[in-house]
Amino acid sequence: EGEVLMKEYFAYVCNNDGSVRWLISNKATSPTFLNLYRATSVKSIVFVLLARIFYRLKFERFLFDGFQELVFSKSSYLGRLIDDYGPNFSIFTGTVGLNRKIIVEINKGGHLLSLQKIALSQKSQLLLKNEFNVLNEVRRINSDKFCVPRVLAWDGKMLHVSSVKPKKYNEGVK
């Protein structure tokens, strides 16, 4: 019996060099990809405001560089992600370089639940292993001064961590 295939449409945003920076489910109802976007410049703050306004007005299609239909196996990482979370995720493809990793933002109702970080090179795999070790060590410190993400899964290439983002910052995504 053959592989079960799935088809989904994704919106995408490109880097300046034309490579894909973000993949967002076409079914997303809020700009949850902003959970991983740090607005520090005037241009980026304007982008965040426009994204929120455009989603509310149902004009989000104008935010994206394009749309692409993807066909993939139901048993693939993307297939399992959609089975587990529906359209409640966005994918950041990482900054080009040796440390590059994919970051998957997983949410429920626009609120960040967790992050999956996937190594794309041996260097980024070592960095994720280090993050795994540091998170486990720091969690042993009993303090109310800081909050440390819980490691939900680690398989040597993918690190899944809980969100520690304060709810007040999470609510603005909707």
Side-chain angles (χ1 to χ4, degrees):
E1 192 163 303
E3 242 182 319
V4 176
L5 297 179
M6 298 175 73
K7 236 188 315 193
E8 291 284 332
Y9 280 92
F10 287 86
Y12 60 87
V13 175
C14 292
N15 290 311
N16 291 336
D17 67 0
S19 63
V20 173
R21 184 174 188 81
W22 293 98
L23 276 176
I24 301 109
S25 171
N26 203 37
K27 297 175 185 170
T29 58
S30 63
T32 60
F33 63 94
L34 295 177
N35 281 324
L36 293 178
Y37 188 74
R38 189 170 170 166
T40 55
S41 68
V42 172
K43 182 179 177 182
S44 62
I45 291 168
V46 168
F47 176 76
V48 167
L49 292 172
L50 286 175
R52 290 181 178 148
I53 290 167
F54 282 21
Y55 263 88
R56 283 214 173 133
L57 297 174
K58 307 290 185 212
F59 293 147
E60 62 272 8
R61 67 187 169 278
F62 297 113
L63 289 171
F64 306 119
D65 292 316
F67 297 87
Q68 181 66 49
E69 180 182 56
L70 299 179
V71 178
F72 47 90
S73 166
K74 187 173 176 73
S75 64
S76 70
Y77 175 79
L78 192 53
R80 291 190 315 270
L81 194 62
I82 290 170
D83 266 356
D84 291 345
Y85 303 105
N88 300 312
F89 68 92
S90 55
I91 300 171
F92 174 65
T93 62
T95 305
V96 176
L98 290 176
N99 299 339
R100 187 176 192 181
K101 55 191 154 296
I102 289 174
I103 301 176
V104 180
E105 168 272 339
I106 298 169
N107 67 81
K108 182 175 183 178
H111 299 288
L112 181 62
L113 295 178
S114 63
L115 300 172
Q116 291 183 358
K117 301 175 181 186
I118 305 163
L120 295 178
S121 68
Q122 286 184 339
K123 175 79 171 167
S124 61
Q125 191 173 349
L126 289 172
L127 290 170
L128 286 180
K129 181 177 181 175
N130 185 56
E131 183 176 347
F132 167 76
N133 290 332
V134 169
L135 287 174
N136 283 328
E137 191 62 36
V138 173
R139 281 197 59 82
R140 292 186 186 138
I141 301 169
N142 191 7
S143 174
D144 58 358
K145 304 279 188 237
F146 55 88
C147 190
V148 179
R150 278 186 341 275
V151 172
L152 303 174
W154 167 245
D155 70 4
K157 289 187 179 185
M158 188 274 294
L159 178 63
H160 190 177
V161 297
S162 65
S163 170
V164 293
K165 190 174 184 180
K167 191 173 182 178
K168 69 179 182 178
Y169 295 110
N170 229 342
E171 291 173 348
V173 171
K174 283 189 158 185

